[in-house]
Amino acid sequence: MSTPHRYAQPALRRPRKLQLATNAGLAPGAGSGIGIRGVEVVQAIQSVDNSVRLIADKPAVVRLYLDPASVASASLVTGELAWRRDGGGMTYLPAMNRVKVKPTKRPTLDEQRFDIDLSINFRLPQEALKAGELELFVRRLSVPAGADIPIATPVQFKVRFHSAPVLRVRAIGLRYKSLTTPGTFVSPEAIHFMYLKSYLQRAYPVAAVEWSQLVVDADLIAPPFPANASDLANAQLSALRAREISSGVDPRTHYYGLVDNDRGKEGCFMRGSAAYDVKRGIFGLVASGPTGVPNGWTGDTDASFADWYGAHELGHTFQRRHPGFPLGTQPPDPEEKSFPYPDGLITTRPGNRFVGLDIGDPSLPTAMRALPGELHHDVMTYADSQWLSAYTYEAILNRLLDEEVRLAP
Ligand SMILES: [Zn+2]
């Protein structure tokens, strides 16, 4: 193996010398430079060693964790990331934020991963996200608008972005006659469609959602909804889907029915389900579920529960099954033999390998935040605060890749 020619090396800006005069407050501990505990490239869920597949063109944030034990006095720290594709020229990317580092307050790596404000974050630009290999370099940390801070061990690594199919969803609002106000109808408001679409874009292993929506009259259901109401809703959707696919809709399109809970009125909550072929032991591409305002239900304080509820039912349409959490509440599916995390969480314990990231959506609005693996549960459980674990994320990606070819028109 030959050593690369020295001029083949990237021309990186060299860290300037530590200027103590303007570098008020921060000097490296033990004179060796500031330590970096880890760097993660996150889209929805990631492990500390970046093992979860990255999706091309899906928004991504690089999170850098400083070692607070390596600083001698409190300071704000920010930084710059350098990246390049295919051995090309370097591009420099400033951090989105700054982090206060104090030698007296030393968060653990887990505490840093659990709080988006405790990592130095970089939002990768579109050009950095294309399919293929991305090289990342952390060689410059600094006091904001101040001097560079020497780094104990500069970081350099590669990640790969994988092409993923789009997620095709046709969302159907099912309108029904009001139980309490004769002559009026109940149908989901636009905000529920928005929340579901946004959640799928943020949490599912896809860069894009090919989305369409409409509201139709429910043919087979009326409140008070019986226990099998969603089976009837799914029967209507299956017939609609069959008609639409024969007239040109992409056969890879998953259909999801939204049934509003009429502001929580008695008898108006339709429990969700996905169509299931018992003989073949597989789910169909049709599911339905309730929508409404959660008012804190299951730890959800935003304007709609259509999002995670729909992501669960659609998860079934990608052949995801119930892992059986919380124990005693969700009967485990005997076909689900490999769910790897305790209590339905999205991380391992002990070890806390994974942390979630909700990149946020200014149109809802919802802010970017870290999702502590110890407090969030896999979307296929019945537990609170749901997100996709790496297990479910990777499995849905595999199924999407499979359907992309097998169900192609
Ligand atoms: Zn379910």
Side-chain angles (χ1 to χ4, degrees):
M1 214 172 92
S2 66
T3 334
H5 190 263
R6 58 182 296 218
Y7 294 108
Q9 297 297 308
L12 259 178
R13 191 178 309 169
R14 252 174 229 178
R16 276 175 270 152
K17 271 208 181 117
L18 184 64
Q19 295 161 12
L20 283 171
T22 54
N23 190 27
L26 199 135
S32 56
I34 195 163
I36 295 173
R37 280 173 161 171
V39 185
E40 281 171 353
V41 186
V42 201
Q43 292 178 316
I45 181 92
Q46 191 53 279
S47 68
V48 76
D49 56 346
N50 291 298
S51 66
V52 179
R53 268 181 292 180
L54 295 167
I55 308 295
D57 301 318
K58 185 176 180 67
V61 171
V62 179
R63 301 186 67 195
L64 184 155
Y65 308 105
L66 297 174
D67 181 0
S70 66
V71 300
S73 52
S75 179
L76 288 171
V77 180
T78 188
E80 192 178 83
L81 194 69
W83 61 268
R84 66 173 177 179
R85 304 292 310 230
D86 312 318
M90 288 287 174
T91 302
Y92 299 92
L93 179 67
M96 304 163 70
N97 66 332
R98 48 190 63 178
V99 168
K100 182 125 192 168
V101 189
K102 289 186 205 170
T104 49
K105 191 169 184 300
R106 297 186 178 177
T108 62
L109 177 59
D110 279 353
E111 285 165 342
Q112 290 175 322
R113 295 177 82 210
F114 287 176
D115 186 342
I116 197 72
D117 295 326
L118 293 184
S119 55
I120 300 181
N121 307 317
F122 305 87
R123 193 171 180 133
L124 290 174
Q126 198 59 41
E127 319 85 75
L129 303 174
K130 62 180 183 178
E133 206 168 71
L134 172 72
E135 279 184 276
L136 294 162
F137 305 82
V138 182
R139 293 186 185 166
R140 185 160 188 245
L141 295 174
S142 64
V143 175
D148 284 4
I149 302 161
I151 301 171
T153 311
V155 174
Q156 173 174 348
F157 66 109
K158 290 177 188 172
V159 290
R160 177 165 288 279
F161 286 87
H162 303 263
S163 295
V166 297
L167 172 65
R168 297 176 184 83
V169 174
R170 187 141 165 80
I172 312 287
L174 292 173
R175 178 171 45 211
Y176 61 84
K177 278 192 189 118
S178 165
L179 189 61
T180 50
T181 318
T184 67
F185 291 83
V186 180
S187 61
E189 286 173 25
I191 193 161
H192 301 300
F193 292 92
M194 267 177 73
Y195 266 78
L196 174 58
K197 182 187 177 195
S198 173
Y199 187 97
L200 295 171
Q201 242 155 10
R202 279 143 51 215
Y204 264 49
V206 291
V209 179
E210 199 178 288
W211 177 269
S212 64
Q213 66 188 58
L214 85 161
V215 174
V216 301
D217 286 323
D219 288 342
L220 306 170
I221 58 166
F225 295 125
N228 70 339
S230 59
D231 295 339
L232 301 171
N234 290 340
Q236 180 179 350
L237 292 174
S238 295
L240 175 69
R241 184 173 180 278
R243 277 200 308 278
E244 291 191 337
I245 281 175
S246 67
S247 55
V249 166
D250 193 304
R252 293 165 293 194
T253 308
H254 292 232
Y255 278 52
Y256 184 66
L258 295 87
V259 177
D260 196 79
N261 72 350
D262 199 7
R263 295 163 204 255
K265 286 197 186 109
E266 182 84 30
C268 295
F269 183 89
M270 187 201 74
R271 226 185 141 148
S273 73
Y276 188 67
D277 183 333
V278 178
K279 226 164 90 191
R280 294 166 66 210
I282 56 166
F283 290 96
L285 273 68
V286 163
S288 58
T291 67
V293 182
N295 295 317
W297 180 46
T298 73
D300 190 355
T301 52
D302 63 25
S304 177
F305 60 79
D307 47 5
W308 52 266
Y309 208 114
H312 172 106
E313 300 306 343
L314 283 166
H316 285 311
T317 70
F318 288 99
Q319 310 305 317
R320 297 292 87 217
R321 294 167 183 270
H322 292 158
F325 299 101
L327 291 173
T329 300
Q330 182 184 62
D333 187 324
E335 303 280 316
E336 176 49 87
K337 297 182 182 85
S338 12
F339 188 82
Y341 319 116
D343 303 324
L345 292 170
I346 58 168
T347 193
T348 56
R349 202 164 59 184
N352 186 44
R353 212 165 151 228
F354 299 94
V355 67
L357 177 82
D358 183 344
I359 202 134
D361 182 344
S363 73
L364 293 179
T366 168
M368 183 169 84
R369 61 197 175 109
L371 306 173
E374 297 184 333
L375 300 176
H376 287 78
H377 299 91
D378 185 79
V379 74
M380 298 314 297
T381 68
Y382 287 164
D384 288 1
S385 304
Q386 297 199 339
W387 196 246
L388 269 65
S389 69
Y391 174 75
T392 296
Y393 189 86
E394 295 273 8
I396 289 178
L397 177 54
N398 287 339
R399 186 71 190 182
L400 270 164
L401 288 162
D402 168 66
E403 288 183 1
E404 187 67 9
V405 178
R406 197 169 39 78
L407 303 181

